[in-house]
């Protein structure tokens, strides 16, 4: 296979990466609609719409900001000019930014029910399709890994066998989705826990896989910006779990 992969239709050359990105959004949304139609949703249609707006705004901002912080040395002299500030993005920033946007929107609306559980499987499916597009994009996408001598290393076009970290991610997402599904078959999860397991599993994977990516950590940081964001997200969910355990174990005030 020659990277980047492109489809040729007569005089048209279609980038496979873009096609898979569109497919990820469209198929993921259709899957979400099907999930919601088969589930008793405690959140009204109007509130769901506003939650989507908050999620999209937070995801867009978080994705762009964290993407820029990944290469702080380029902020003063962006490659390709000012468009660099609007095209750099990362999934971790999108997820965490979307989470903040959702929580702020729910607080304004007075919604206390979990809103993320319905989104987990559609997000997993969409991310797998998107990462497949990243893989086909080769070196132009920037999601490849460092050089490796392992037999499954892939030459993306520069003569160097590299870790196919985008394929690693697809494999991990499939395992994560299967694990959550099996856990729910053994014992129903409390509201919100499906989404929490997804976020913790994905953030932990990204924290570790970034060590075999060629993005260097900025001097004095120790970790890349994405890894620090993963640490912050994992810390949040750790704090959330501890707080809930403490609240559950409080002695009753009943006389």
């Amino acid at each position: 296979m020659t990277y980047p992969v492109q489809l040729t239709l007569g005089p048209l050359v279609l980038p496979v990466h873009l096609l898979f990105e569109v497919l990820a959004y469209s198929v993921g949304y259709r899957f979400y609609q099907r999930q919601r139609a088969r589930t008793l949703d405690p959140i009204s249609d109007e509130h769901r719409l506003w939650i989507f707006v908050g999620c999209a705004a937070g995801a867009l901002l978080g994705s762009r900001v964290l993407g820029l912080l990944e290469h702080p040395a380029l902020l003063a002299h962006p490659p390709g000019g000012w468009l660099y500030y609007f095209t750099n993005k990362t999934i971790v920033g999108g997820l965490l930014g979307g989470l903040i946007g959702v929580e702020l929107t729910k607080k304004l609306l007075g919604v206390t029910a979990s809103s993320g559980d319905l989104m987990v499987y559609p997000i997993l499916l969409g991310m797998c399709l998107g990462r497949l597009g990243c893989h086909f994009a080769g070196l132009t996408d920037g999601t490849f890994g460092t050089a490796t001598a392992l037999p499954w290393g892939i030459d993306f076009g520069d003569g160097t066998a590299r870790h196919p970290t985008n394929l690693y991610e697809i494999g991990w997402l499939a395992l994560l989705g299967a694990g959550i599904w099996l856990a729910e078959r053994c014992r129903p999860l409390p509201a919100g826990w499906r989404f929490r397991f997804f976020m913790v599993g994905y953030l932990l994977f990204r924290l570790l896989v970034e060590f075999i990516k060629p993005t260097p950590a900025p001097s004095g940081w120790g970790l890349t910006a994405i890894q620090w964001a993963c640490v912050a997200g994992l810390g949040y969910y750790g704090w959330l779990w501890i707080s809930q355990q403490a609240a559950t174990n409080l002695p009753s005030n009943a006389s």
Side-chain angles (χ1 to χ4, degrees):
M1 183 182 295
T2 302
Y3 296 89
V5 178
Q6 295 179 327
L7 294 179
T8 303
L9 297 175
L12 297 177
V13 178
L14 303 176
V16 174
H17 188 196
L18 178 60
L19 293 178
F20 270 91
E21 190 170 350
V22 173
L23 189 65
Y25 285 114
S26 57
V27 172
Y29 182 67
R30 290 294 298 171
F31 188 22
Y32 161 76
Q33 287 183 312
R34 181 181 178 186
Q35 289 276 100
R36 189 165 186 249
R38 299 169 58 185
T39 306
L40 182 61
D41 190 357
I43 301 176
S44 68
D45 291 344
E46 182 182 358
H47 283 172
R48 273 286 177 188
L49 179 59
W50 282 111
I51 288 172
F52 266 118
V53 171
C55 178
L60 180 63
L61 182 61
S63 176
R64 294 296 189 268
V65 170
L66 188 57
L68 292 173
L69 290 177
E70 192 177 8
H71 303 281
L74 299 178
L75 292 176
H77 304 285
W82 60 271
L83 284 176
Y84 173 79
Y85 299 116
F86 299 95
T87 56
N88 217 13
K89 57 185 179 180
T90 172
I91 288 179
V92 172
L95 288 174
L96 294 176
L99 174 64
I100 294 172
V102 166
E103 293 304 320
L104 289 177
T105 303
K106 288 170 61 178
K107 188 174 183 64
L108 291 173
L109 296 174
V111 175
T112 57
S114 171
S115 59
D117 286 347
L118 276 175
M119 297 296 299
V120 169
Y121 294 122
I123 289 175
L124 285 168
L125 177 59
M127 288 173 65
C128 285
L129 290 172
R131 282 308 188 203
L132 192 57
C134 293
H135 176 75
F136 288 141
L139 296 175
T140 62
D141 184 69
T143 59
F144 51 86
T146 53
T148 180
L150 293 172
W152 55 80
I154 293 178
D155 178 3
F156 289 103
D158 63 349
T160 301
R162 301 177 182 275
H163 284 286
T165 47
N166 27 51
L167 296 184
Y168 295 170
E169 186 165 327
I170 293 173
W172 175 253
L173 291 172
L175 288 174
L176 182 59
I180 294 173
W181 184 83
L182 288 173
E184 291 187 297
R185 291 302 172 275
C186 295
R187 181 180 179 182
L189 296 175
W193 280 80
R194 182 194 296 173
F195 186 76
R196 293 181 193 180
F197 281 142
F198 158 69
M199 287 292 288
V200 169
Y202 184 71
L203 292 175
L204 182 60
F205 169 81
R206 286 301 300 268
L207 174 63
L208 298 177
V209 80
E210 293 298 313
F211 286 113
I212 55 171
K213 286 189 176 182
T215 304
S219 178
W221 287 30
L223 302 174
T224 66
I226 288 179
Q227 288 176 308
W228 280 118
C230 290
V231 169
L234 291 170
Y236 166 74
Y237 281 107
W239 169 81
L240 199 61
W241 183 81
I242 292 172
S243 298
Q244 290 192 341
Q245 291 300 308
T248 302
N249 295 329
L250 283 176
S252 173
N253 292 325
S255 58

